[in-house]
Amino acid sequence: MLYSVLKKLFYFIFEYLCRWQVTGIGRIPETGPIIIISNHVSYWDPIVLGVISKRQVYFMAKAELFRIPVFSSILRGLGAFPVDRKKSDRAALRAAAEVLERGDVLGMFPEGTRIRTGELGEFKLGAVLIAAKSKTPIVPVALQGTSKIFSRGWFRPFKVAVGNPYYWDDMEERKLTSKELQEITNNIKEQILIELAGI
């Protein structure tokens, strides 16, 4: 209920107050498990990804946010779950796997933190590793201008571009090497760069 209400509220804000520009939204599969991967510019980014998806998006969020009691309850109510970015968090990996096993949508930011310069940071392998193990399609999304959605007392325009989903082929049924995972991660990053260049 809370997720649905907030999604409608933010859609109104983005559509009528921000006048956002969205391209490629039809590329997001409406059924089956998917992982939406995006560059990370601001705290608005999870909200933006949640609005463009017709289905609820479940996010990994840094564990520090869950230390604030009231905020923690809100995050969990919205389907977010904590991840410790300083180590390999098996509980977070299990939670991510459960999202995909249910056929739901997982949202991840492979940079691991916000990059405010407008350039893409290093993409960690975690997102692609999770996708590879479950053979879940990856949907790359480019965000531009989300750091200024609310600036100087008013809402500002921003852009969203959804790239072509990455599907796993028969050759990738086997366990992939670290080098192969890195190559796929680089390809996803390149796709986001291409989408950014187009907007």
Side-chain angles (χ1 to χ4, degrees):
M1 176 63 76
L2 177 60
Y3 189 96
S4 178
V5 170
L6 290 178
K7 181 174 180 176
K8 291 177 182 177
L9 171 63
F10 284 111
Y11 175 82
F12 177 86
I13 291 172
F14 296 159
E15 179 73 13
Y16 298 103
L17 300 182
C18 293
R19 301 290 183 181
W20 66 342
Q21 296 179 33
V22 186
T23 59
I25 198 167
R27 294 172 173 171
I28 302 176
E30 296 184 14
T31 60
I34 60 170
I35 300 179
I36 294 179
I37 288 181
S38 171
N39 58 315
H40 197 11
V41 182
S42 80
Y43 287 121
W44 286 96
D45 299 342
I47 300 173
V48 173
L49 297 185
V51 172
I52 66 170
S53 172
K54 292 184 178 181
R55 295 182 285 159
Q56 180 169 352
V57 183
Y58 296 84
F59 288 96
M60 281 188 180
K62 60 182 181 180
E64 294 86 341
L65 296 176
F66 291 83
R67 295 172 186 165
I68 308 169
V70 175
F71 195 45
S72 175
S73 298
I74 293 174
L75 285 173
R76 293 184 188 280
L78 293 175
F81 54 94
V83 59
D84 188 337
R85 299 177 297 172
K86 298 178 182 178
K87 62 180 182 181
S88 178
D89 191 333
R90 293 185 179 181
L93 292 176
R94 284 196 300 270
E98 289 172 1
V99 169
L100 300 176
E101 287 170 4
R102 296 196 306 264
D104 289 329
V105 183
L106 179 66
M108 298 186 70
F109 300 101
E111 292 163 300
T113 188
R114 288 169 294 143
I115 307 294
R116 303 180 185 181
T117 61
E119 299 179 356
L120 292 191
E122 178 187 357
F123 274 34
K124 297 177 174 58
L125 301 182
V128 170
L129 179 60
I130 292 172
K133 285 185 175 181
S134 57
K135 297 300 179 285
T136 300
I138 297 172
V139 180
V141 177
L143 303 177
Q144 185 181 84
T146 55
S147 61
K148 298 179 180 179
I149 283 180
F150 189 78
S151 176
R152 298 180 181 178
W154 192 243
F155 292 99
R156 307 290 175 179
F158 64 97
K159 297 179 180 180
V160 182
V162 181
N164 290 313
Y166 179 90
Y167 293 98
W168 302 89
D169 59 33
D170 294 338
M171 294 297 293
E172 293 157 341
E173 288 297 325
R174 57 183 171 74
K175 184 177 180 180
L176 300 179
T177 65
S178 296
K179 182 179 180 180
E180 289 171 322
L181 289 171
Q182 186 64 64
E183 289 176 353
I184 295 169
T185 299
N186 291 342
N187 290 339
I188 298 298
K189 181 178 180 179
E190 183 64 27
Q191 180 65 41
I192 291 177
L193 281 170
I194 290 172
E195 295 299 331
L196 281 172
I199 57 178

